[in-house]
Amino acid sequence: MTSQRITFATPFTRRTLVALIAASGMAGAGLAVAEDGPYPSRPITLVVPTAPGGTTDISARMLADPLGKALGQSVIVDNKGGGNGAIAAIAVKRADPAGYTLLMQYSGYHVITPHVSQQKPQWSAEDFRPVANVLSAPQVIVVREGVPAKNLAELIAYAKANPGKLTYASSGNGSLQHVTGAMLEQQAGIQLTHVPYKGTGPALQDLLGGQVDMTFGTPPPFMQHIQAGKLRALAVTGKARLPSLPNVPTAAEAGMPKLDATSWFALFAPAKTPQAVVDRLTSEIAKITATQAFQQKAAEQGASADYMDPKKLGDYSKAELARWGDVVKAARIQAE
């Protein structure tokens, strides 16, 4: 039998082949296919909406190495702080939706910023596809050395005796730290002075340097400084004490039962990212967050590995958007 060469009337390009594979359902059967080959065929960038040093940045870097090994490609962390998360969000929104530019999102930006912006929003939650939640962490109330308060009750008493004297840092106007500070002011009947920064990293530097008195934030960037005695943790704004800070009471234990604020850090992709790509990423992240090494590292940082699949993350983020909208409205907070 002699072989015959089959020819086509029109050029049969790789692009055509990819389209046929996608249409046949093969791409959804565990093989993510992109125009330049099986996904991923080149490095992936995780865009972080904060400066280096904060929990969002730490979350991205904790994920980048194991995810890169699982996918067989480098995963690069790119910090694009500023604009209450807008700079990073817009960059990812406008990126080619092929799965090579992803957003490691901070919950405060995702569910609070839309409520506080005075300008026409340049992005919304609908511009992104949920991929997976990675970490969750309550906030911890910390003060610098020199602040005359060893617990939350003493801090409140000092603030009442000195209205506006205590300054607190946040990662920006309308950030979760800002809103938590406003909640404490309302519930305790005190007056604090808010000092916004472009991320937790710069805020932490000034806190350690004595330029501001206190802050609210997720534990990872503060842990080493708390353990070294450079910062004092007064309370945790979650429902339970942290294993890494067993002697620090919850806000409820300290007499503030309604001061409940937990941050989460999740991966999102541009809205038109193919389902097969999202599935591949989600699958690998589920495996990574389930490992003892990842969970232990998260616990050491005062956080917890808290995987959510795309549906659960999407539903949860919508519920959080509504909850924090009520808080922002009551506090009358607006971003600059």
Side-chain angles (χ1 to χ4, degrees):
M1 179 181 296
T2 59
S3 61
Q4 291 183 326
R5 182 178 181 182
I6 301 175
T7 59
F8 296 89
T10 58
F12 195 73
T13 64
R14 174 176 289 185
R15 183 185 296 271
T16 306
L17 178 61
V18 168
L20 289 173
I21 292 174
S24 70
M26 291 176 63
L31 178 64
V33 180
E35 288 188 3
D36 50 357
Y39 176 85
S41 60
R42 51 191 167 88
I44 296 167
T45 298
L46 300 187
V47 180
V48 176
T50 64
T55 308
T56 315
D57 177 66
I58 291 172
S59 299
R61 294 180 190 279
M62 281 180 60
L63 181 64
D65 183 59
L67 183 60
K69 290 178 180 177
L71 296 175
Q73 290 289 340
S74 298
V75 177
I76 302 164
V77 175
D78 183 13
N79 297 85
K80 292 184 180 295
N84 282 337
I87 293 176
I90 293 170
V92 176
K93 169 189 173 180
R94 294 174 177 173
D96 179 13
Y100 293 97
T101 304
L102 307 169
L103 178 66
M104 175 54 76
Q105 183 65 300
Y106 160 52
S107 61
Y109 291 152
H110 206 70
V111 300
I112 293 178
T113 298
H115 297 295
V116 300
S117 178
Q118 299 184 58
Q119 301 177 346
K120 182 179 179 181
Q122 295 178 285
W123 65 273
S124 69
E126 287 70 31
D127 293 321
F128 305 98
R129 291 194 67 171
V131 175
N133 194 64
V134 178
L135 290 181
S136 291
Q139 296 200 76
V140 60
I141 303 173
V142 295
V143 297
R144 64 170 176 82
E145 290 182 298
V147 172
K150 295 182 179 179
N151 54 55
L152 188 56
E154 290 182 3
L155 180 76
I156 292 172
Y158 181 81
K160 286 183 176 179
N162 301 273
K165 184 175 181 179
L166 284 174
T167 56
Y168 76 95
S170 80
S171 60
N173 281 309
S175 64
L176 186 58
Q177 296 100 316
H178 183 190
V179 176
T180 304
M183 288 173 62
L184 177 60
E185 288 180 295
Q186 292 177 345
Q187 295 176 19
I190 59 176
Q191 180 183 345
L192 305 172
T193 298
H194 175 226
V195 183
Y197 289 83
K198 292 183 178 180
T200 301
L204 175 58
Q205 289 180 5
D206 273 10
L207 179 63
L208 292 169
Q211 281 74 41
V212 287
D213 298 316
M214 59 181 290
T215 193
F216 308 83
T218 47
F222 305 120
M223 290 298 294
Q224 62 175 313
H225 305 295
I226 293 172
Q227 294 166 351
K230 295 181 180 179
L231 297 177
R232 187 181 306 123
L234 304 184
V236 173
T237 64
K239 299 184 184 300
R241 294 193 182 198
L242 291 171
S244 55
L245 294 171
N247 297 322
V248 179
T250 65
E253 291 174 328
M256 303 292 293
K258 295 183 179 180
L259 193 64
D260 184 3
T262 298
S263 299
W264 42 274
F265 305 87
L267 200 65
F268 289 83
K272 295 183 179 180
T273 301
Q275 182 65 48
V277 171
V278 173
D279 289 345
R280 177 74 194 281
L281 291 167
T282 299
S283 175
E284 297 300 343
I285 293 171
K287 296 173 188 175
I288 291 167
T289 55
T291 63
Q292 183 177 357
F294 190 90
Q295 293 179 357
Q296 182 176 345
K297 190 169 184 178
E300 289 172 353
Q301 298 291 334
S304 61
D306 186 17
Y307 171 76
M308 296 183 201
D309 63 27
K311 184 180 186 308
K312 185 174 181 180
L313 174 58
D315 292 343
Y316 180 64
S317 62
K318 288 179 182 177
E320 285 279 275
L321 185 66
R323 182 171 82 93
W324 284 106
D326 292 339
V327 175
V328 169
K329 184 177 180 180
R332 298 180 180 179
I333 293 174
Q334 290 185 329
E336 293 180 352

